[in-house]
Amino acid sequence: MIKLENVTKIFPGSKQPAVDRLNLEVPEGEVCVLVGPSGCGKTTTMKMINRLIEPSEGKIYINGTDTATVNPIKLRLDIGYVIQEIGLFPHLTIAENIATVPREKRWPADRIRARVDELLDLVGLDPEIYRNRKPSDLSGGQRQRVGVARAMAADPPILLMDEPFGAVDPITRAHLQNEFIRIQEQMKKTIIFVTHDIDEAIKMGDKIAVMRDGKLIQYDTPDNLLSQPADDFVAALVGRNRSIKRLHLIKVRDVVLNEIPTVKPLDPVDTVKQVFEGSKYRVVMVVNDAHRLMGVIGPEKLKRYGDGVTAGDIMEECQSTIELGATLNDALSVMLNYGERYVAVLGRKKELQGIITLGYLLELVKDDAA
Amino acid sequence: MDFQGFWTFAVNRSEKAWALLGEHAVLVFIAIAIAIILGIIIGILITYSKPASHAALWICQILMTIPSLAMFGLLLPFFGIGFKTGVTTLILYSLLPIVRNTYTGIKEIDPSILEAAQGMGMKESSILFRIKLPLAAPVIMAGVRTATVMIIGIAAIASYIGAGGLGHFIFQGINRWNMNMVLLGAIAVSILAIIVDFLMKKVEHRMVTK
């Protein structure tokens, strides 16, 4: 548990405190998002927790221990740290980068090696391929993953993350966020997550701390923040159309339509037509024996082809897909991105879990607003 | 100037030339080895203090502006005639490029890399040896190369105060009005500088691509 008690930071030469008598309690295993405009003191607050910045006044406790009494090096070795620029060491391999903290902690070499592979797997990078590469060989999204893996290397109970997904494009960001939520569901770390993006805060946070001018304005769950903003500032921050913002809160997993007719690649087109007519969706999904999605067939194709052709012959690749852990907002982005009125929902091994259509998605938001 | 004459002269004196080349190389090698150690240590230390870095770089700059002949003269009373004065002078001249490049090499590292290292709990000694020095290495190497090539030239003057080396040919040649001898000394110094520069450039490039 992290507890901030009347924490104030006044930088030398400045009259205005960067952080002003902040009180905050983050329970174990929760994600606390610090959100606010730039200069609101969110990053300063985060950096005081691992003593990269020393508070001018006030106390910070981790599990009841005053951090000012702990050696800063020892303190930081048990707190994972991810920043927007990532700061991977360009002269070291991916494996060496991830091994930084375990090495400082003098783990034996074989334990480090095993841990590095485990972490690369966890963040979805094949250890065989990436272990010995240099950071410059990686894409922005992959570097962010390595940054997260490096922060978790020695399994610290606490993670500090400063706009960790800020430097990548929106689609990659959504993907990284969803993966991170999945990882956090297993790991249950105590996380301080800094962002200026309220949508990201709503999506990632168990609790959100809204800051302005060094002060804590509201500390609440995303749901309460949306339904009961403390003042005009918070209301403006979360935006007018708050029912639409709830798209960030609803997980695909909770609303996916599982009842979806499928065909096998070797089924004749006639069977596909029957399935299509008996279905309420404008698309038929083709799956293999392992229920993995092979492709989709739309009405135009069915009109054009007749006897002697199988589903496998006329199916098209399905790009409009999303994982179970994503939010409805992600689902909407994917639909817009590929110009489809549906997304296929896939499990971890790409097996078909169901579908979400545009009409259904809008229906969900309408209900919510009513 | 007749080339044939020079060639015959050079072949006749080749034994002496090789010996002087050896002296020259030893003089430069010892000086640069000490200067690398000193320069890198000073360069590292001054990254931790802004006033110290200003002072150190300023002093090194001043040292560079002293004419080499004057520098040999100034150091004679302390180290006497011969090798020691030669080496000391060459060390002083090598310091600026090495100190300055060590300092800039470290200071130019992307601050987010150092913030990440510090934030993860790396000790300053680990950050220095595992992050800062390896990243600054190509820049430091470039400074060492500049210094080496420069003092190969300056070392020729060191034979004036009895430190030996290829300068011997040059000064003796001037005294005896023997242009072949001056030329032999000068060409040997240049070739030495070019070869050393080439080899060190290779090392530097390997460091950058690594």
Side-chain angles (χ1 to χ4, degrees):
Chain A
M1 188 192 72
I2 305 171
K3 190 173 164 197
L4 280 73
E5 218 175 70
N6 274 315
V7 170
T8 299
K9 177 67 192 180
I10 303 172
F11 284 107
S14 146
K15 280 179 214 134
Q16 206 70 21
V19 175
D20 195 1
R21 279 161 294 160
L22 193 75
N23 287 289
L24 193 68
E25 230 173 275
V26 184
E28 207 167 309
E30 280 198 3
V31 181
C32 166
V33 182
L34 303 178
V35 68
S38 66
C40 71
K42 53 191 191 296
T43 298
T44 307
T45 305
M46 189 195 79
K47 287 185 180 173
M48 285 193 283
I49 294 171
N50 67 355
R51 291 183 62 190
L52 282 178
I53 296 176
E54 299 286 353
S56 312
E57 272 169 56
K59 293 215 180 296
I60 297 172
Y61 299 94
I62 292 179
N63 294 328
T65 313
D66 182 354
T67 55
T69 64
V70 185
N71 174 308
I73 299 289
K74 221 172 139 336
L75 179 76
R76 288 174 201 150
L77 284 176
D78 291 321
I79 301 179
Y81 190 60
V82 190
I83 52 179
Q84 182 179 350
E85 306 83 1
I86 328 172
L88 292 182
F89 307 137
H91 59 303
L92 300 179
T93 64
I94 299 307
E96 288 167 329
N97 263 285
I98 295 175
T100 305
V101 176
R103 239 189 98 133
E104 288 292 305
K105 290 192 158 191
R106 302 187 179 284
W107 287 15
D110 49 343
R111 186 176 168 205
I112 294 181
R113 220 172 298 130
R115 180 64 180 157
V116 165
D117 285 0
E118 186 188 348
L119 281 162
L120 281 171
D121 265 332
L122 182 73
V123 298
L125 296 172
D126 184 348
E128 292 299 327
I129 299 174
Y130 291 102
R131 204 188 282 135
N132 295 320
R133 297 225 173 145
K134 290 285 175 67
S136 55
D137 301 332
L138 270 53
S139 71
Q142 291 171 328
R143 279 183 223 168
Q144 298 279 11
R145 286 160 203 252
V146 175
V148 171
R150 185 173 68 171
M152 295 197 297
D155 209 12
I158 297 170
L159 283 180
L160 304 181
M161 311 180 86
D162 191 354
E163 310 235 3
F165 312 128
V168 290
D169 63 274
I171 299 264
T172 310
R173 184 183 314 149
H175 201 73
L176 290 172
Q177 287 168 342
N178 297 334
E179 267 180 56
F180 188 72
I181 291 169
R182 191 199 83 222
I183 292 171
Q184 166 65 0
E185 274 163 9
Q186 300 166 27
M187 301 285 169
K188 291 279 165 218
K189 307 273 182 203
T190 309
I191 298 174
I192 306 283
F193 191 108
V194 169
T195 179
H196 67 272
D197 177 359
I198 185 69
D199 293 339
E200 184 169 59
I202 291 169
K203 183 173 174 181
M204 308 299 289
D206 292 311
K207 284 267 197 74
I208 298 176
V210 181
M211 291 182 69
R212 183 175 64 163
D213 299 335
K215 291 194 180 67
L216 184 64
I217 309 289
Q218 187 171 4
Y219 184 46
D220 224 326
T221 61
D223 227 350
N224 283 343
L225 204 71
L226 289 170
S227 53
Q228 294 144 17
D231 62 9
D232 291 347
F233 173 74
V234 180
L237 189 72
V238 297
R240 193 161 308 171
N241 207 334
R242 296 200 285 277
S243 57
I244 291 225
K245 293 257 161 167
R246 279 223 164 76
L247 286 174
H248 289 291
L249 289 177
I250 304 173
K251 291 274 161 63
V252 167
R253 176 182 292 120
D254 302 326
V255 295
V256 58
L257 301 163
N258 299 113
E259 300 283 312
I260 168 165
T262 57
V263 295
K264 295 278 159 62
L266 290 178
D267 285 342
V269 167
D270 282 341
T271 313
V272 182
K273 282 183 178 164
Q274 276 169 26
V275 169
F276 181 76
E277 267 139 39
S279 155
K280 47 183 171 166
Y281 306 116
R282 305 273 297 153
V283 64
V284 176
M285 307 265 169
V286 185
V287 295
N288 67 5
D289 290 334
H291 213 66
R292 283 177 65 162
L293 180 63
M294 307 300 288
V296 289
I297 302 171
E300 324 79 46
K301 283 276 168 131
L302 285 178
K303 244 179 260 161
R304 230 180 307 145
Y305 292 92
D307 288 340
V309 183
T310 64
D313 294 333
I314 60 168
M315 70 184 182
E316 292 168 280
E317 194 197 343
C318 180
Q319 289 179 306
S320 178
T321 62
I322 197 148
E323 58 265 51
L324 277 171
T327 65
L328 284 186
N329 191 68
D330 300 330
L332 184 59
S333 310
V334 171
M335 284 185 226
L336 294 174
N337 196 42
Y338 295 109
E340 297 286 1
R341 301 179 70 86
Y342 66 89
V343 280
V345 180
L346 304 182
R348 272 214 75 182
K349 295 191 179 97
K350 305 277 176 234
E351 70 280 14
L352 183 64
Q353 297 282 342
I355 192 171
I356 287 178
T357 62
L358 184 59
Y360 172 61
L361 186 144
L362 294 175
E363 204 61 33
L364 286 169
V365 186
K366 207 164 89 194
D367 282 357
D368 204 55
Chain B
M1 189 86 254
D2 97 280
F3 182 75
Q4 194 65 45
F6 171 66
W7 189 247
T8 322
F9 177 82
V11 172
N12 284 340
R13 300 297 180 98
S14 66
E15 206 171 310
K16 177 76 173 160
W18 284 114
L20 289 179
L21 185 77
E23 275 180 32
H24 204 98
V26 168
L27 186 66
V28 168
F29 182 80
I30 291 177
I32 204 72
I34 297 172
I36 288 173
I37 296 168
L38 266 180
I40 291 179
I41 290 174
I42 297 173
I44 290 169
L45 288 178
I46 62 178
T47 57
Y48 295 102
S49 152
K50 216 173 187 153
S53 72
H54 286 309
L57 291 174
W58 183 73
I59 292 171
C60 290
Q61 193 99 50
I62 295 288
L63 285 175
M64 291 281 279
T65 64
I66 302 173
S68 45
L69 208 50
M71 181 87 95
F72 286 116
L74 286 171
L75 291 175
L76 269 180
F78 301 101
F79 298 101
I81 284 187
F83 194 74
K84 271 198 245 164
T85 304
V87 168
T88 313
T89 307
L90 297 183
I91 291 171
L92 290 179
Y93 276 110
S94 329
L95 280 179
L96 178 69
I98 299 176
V99 170
R100 188 185 48 202
N101 281 34
T102 305
Y103 177 78
T104 358
I106 292 176
K107 280 289 168 186
E108 271 177 4
I109 296 171
D110 179 354
S112 67
I113 291 174
L114 299 179
E115 190 197 323
Q118 205 192 359
M120 282 189 295
M122 288 180 87
K123 293 185 297 287
E124 185 51 41
S125 59
S126 307
I127 296 179
L128 181 63
F129 289 109
R130 298 207 55 222
I131 312 293
K132 286 180 176 175
L133 286 179
L135 284 178
V139 185
I140 298 175
M141 191 60 210
V144 171
R145 180 161 69 96
T146 311
T148 312
V149 172
M150 188 178 66
I151 64 167
I152 286 176
I154 296 175
I157 300 169
S159 71
Y160 192 69
I161 49 106
L166 290 164
H168 184 75
F169 273 156
I170 299 174
F171 285 111
Q172 211 167 51
I174 292 173
N175 284 337
R176 299 183 190 167
W177 202 246
N178 183 342
M179 281 309 119
N180 279 338
M181 198 180 242
V182 176
L183 202 59
L184 180 58
I187 289 177
V189 169
S190 299
I191 289 175
L192 182 63
I194 290 168
I195 290 173
V196 168
D197 186 53
F198 176 79
L199 292 177
M200 293 181 92
K201 206 180 221 165
K202 281 251 150 132
V203 177
E204 198 183 313
H205 278 285
R206 269 191 54 195
M207 282 176 158
V208 175
T209 46
K210 230 173 115 183

